[in-house]
Amino acid sequence: MVLSQKPLQKVLPLENGDHLTRAEFERRYQAMPHIKKAERIEGVVYMPAALRYRQHGQPHSSIIGWLFTYAAATPEVEVADNPTIRLDLDNDPQPDALLRISEACGGQSCISEDDYIEGAPELVVEVAASSAAYDLHEKKSVYRRNGVQEYIVWQVSERQISWFRLIDGDYVLVQPDEDGIIHSTVFPGLDLDLESMLSDDMMSVIEAVQAGTKATAHKQFIDRLAHQQMT
């Protein structure tokens, strides 16, 4: 007697605008290894077009270099490039970059057994073509609601970087000081020389971070993380 086998169910491809559960989104994404970026915002799949050099690739690498310089000087603070985040049941964004405090030191996100970030990282950065992009609308609302403490959006075409800080449940736009520097409150010493970043003067950008990580506030932050790890 020959037993019939149930045919394998075909995995459908991801498409822009699909309304999917997290399980189905991850199943389709994993079945398409050639797709490098896809995210689910409020249950809807977004897949960006091919990324251009000056509008995304170059500013993206500058952001990673800035964050990496800080993380290298700050134990228990981790930088990541394009990871998928399980924020809530309807949202799995894939931000361009992020900084997180390790869970061992009181960070508000963790790494799952299958190697995803779960929960809100402390700081997220997105590179957008302009202020019309969903990074400043749908995604901003999602990050705010889930407690991302600092959210940065580089609007490349408009030559503008917006840094938002979560205060009393809402995002407040942070202004640079008299020297043109924006200072993180979540990550003491993470200083951004705004004009230098916009002008691609990475030497000055790095120098500002290095100066910040030599300040007393940064040392106190490291001591505080170490103390939280021991308790």
Coordinates of all heavy atoms in Angstrom, one line a residue, residues 70 73-75 188-189 212-226:
Y70 N 31.7 55.4 19.8 CA 31.2 55.5 21.2 C 31.2 54.1 21.9 O 31.6 54.0 23.0 CB 29.8 56.1 21.2 CG 29.3 56.3 22.6 CD1 29.6 57.3 23.4 CD2 28.4 55.3 23.1 CE1 29.1 57.4 24.7 CE2 27.8 55.4 24.3 CZ 28.2 56.5 25.1 OH 27.7 56.6 26.4
A73 N 34.3 52.6 23.3 CA 34.8 53.2 24.5 C 33.9 53.0 25.7 O 34.1 53.5 26.8 CB 35.0 54.7 24.3
T74 N 32.8 52.3 25.5 CA 31.7 52.2 26.5 C 31.3 50.7 26.8 O 30.5 50.2 26.0 CB 30.5 53.0 26.1 OG1 30.9 54.3 25.6 CG2 29.6 53.2 27.3
P75 N 31.9 50.0 27.7 CA 31.6 48.6 28.0 C 30.1 48.5 28.3 O 29.5 49.3 28.9 CB 32.4 48.3 29.2 CG 33.6 49.2 29.2 CD 33.0 50.5 28.6
P188 N 25.6 59.2 28.1 CA 26.5 60.3 28.3 C 27.9 60.2 27.5 O 28.4 59.1 27.5 CB 26.8 60.3 29.8 CG 25.5 59.6 30.3 CD 25.1 58.6 29.3
G189 N 28.3 61.3 26.9 CA 29.5 61.2 26.1 C 29.2 61.0 24.6 O 30.1 61.2 23.8
G212 N 33.8 63.5 24.3 CA 32.7 63.2 25.2 C 33.0 62.0 26.0 O 32.6 61.9 27.2
T213 N 33.7 61.0 25.5 CA 34.0 59.8 26.3 C 35.2 60.0 27.2 O 35.5 59.1 28.0 CB 34.4 58.6 25.3 OG1 35.4 59.0 24.4 CG2 33.1 58.2 24.5
K214 N 35.8 61.2 27.2 CA 36.8 61.5 28.2 C 36.3 62.3 29.4 O 37.0 62.6 30.3 CB 38.0 62.3 27.5 CG 38.8 61.4 26.5 CD 39.8 62.3 25.8 CE 40.6 61.5 24.8 NZ 41.6 62.3 24.1
A215 N 35.0 62.7 29.2 CA 34.4 63.6 30.3 C 34.0 62.8 31.5 O 33.8 61.5 31.4 CB 33.1 64.3 29.7
T216 N 33.8 63.5 32.6 CA 33.4 62.8 33.9 C 32.1 62.1 33.8 O 31.9 61.0 34.3 CB 33.4 63.9 35.0 OG1 34.7 64.5 35.1 CG2 33.0 63.2 36.3
A217 N 31.1 62.7 33.0 CA 29.8 62.1 32.9 C 29.9 60.7 32.3 O 29.1 59.8 32.7 CB 28.9 63.0 32.1
H218 N 30.8 60.5 31.3 CA 30.9 59.2 30.7 C 31.5 58.2 31.6 O 31.0 57.0 31.7 CB 31.8 59.4 29.4 CG 32.0 58.1 28.7 ND1 33.1 57.3 28.8 CD2 31.1 57.4 27.9 CE1 33.0 56.2 28.0 NE2 31.8 56.3 27.4
K219 N 32.5 58.6 32.4 CA 33.1 57.7 33.4 C 32.1 57.3 34.4 O 32.0 56.1 34.8 CB 34.3 58.3 34.1 CG 35.0 57.4 35.1 CD 36.1 58.1 35.8 CE 36.9 57.1 36.7 NZ 36.0 56.5 37.7
Q220 N 31.2 58.2 34.9 CA 30.2 57.9 35.8 C 29.2 56.9 35.2 O 28.7 56.1 35.9 CB 29.5 59.2 36.3 CG 30.4 60.1 37.1 CD 29.8 61.4 37.4 OE1 28.9 61.9 36.7 NE2 30.3 62.1 38.5
F221 N 28.9 57.1 34.0 CA 28.0 56.2 33.3 C 28.5 54.8 33.2 O 27.8 53.8 33.6 CB 27.7 56.7 31.9 CG 26.8 55.9 31.0 CD1 25.5 55.5 31.5 CD2 27.2 55.4 29.8 CE1 24.7 54.8 30.7 CE2 26.4 54.6 29.0 CZ 25.1 54.3 29.4
I222 N 29.8 54.6 32.9 CA 30.4 53.3 32.9 C 30.4 52.7 34.3 O 30.1 51.5 34.4 CB 31.9 53.4 32.4 CG1 31.9 53.8 30.9 CG2 32.6 52.1 32.6 CD1 33.3 54.0 30.3
D223 N 30.7 53.5 35.3 CA 30.6 53.0 36.7 C 29.2 52.5 37.1 O 29.1 51.5 37.7 CB 31.1 54.0 37.6 CG 32.6 54.3 37.5 OD1 33.3 53.5 36.9 OD2 33.1 55.4 38.0
R224 N 28.2 53.3 36.6 CA 26.9 52.9 36.9 C 26.4 51.6 36.3 O 25.8 50.8 36.9 CB 25.9 54.1 36.5 CG 24.5 53.9 36.9 CD 23.7 55.1 36.8 NE 23.4 55.5 35.4 CZ 24.0 56.6 34.8 NH1 24.8 57.4 35.5 NH2 23.6 56.9 33.6
L225 N 26.9 51.4 35.0 CA 26.6 50.2 34.3 C 27.2 49.0 35.0 O 26.6 47.9 35.2 CB 27.0 50.2 32.9 CG 26.2 51.2 32.0 CD1 26.8 51.2 30.5 CD2 24.7 50.9 32.0
A226 N 28.5 49.2 35.4 CA 29.2 48.1 36.1 C 28.5 47.7 37.4 O 28.5 46.6 37.8 CB 30.7 48.5 36.3

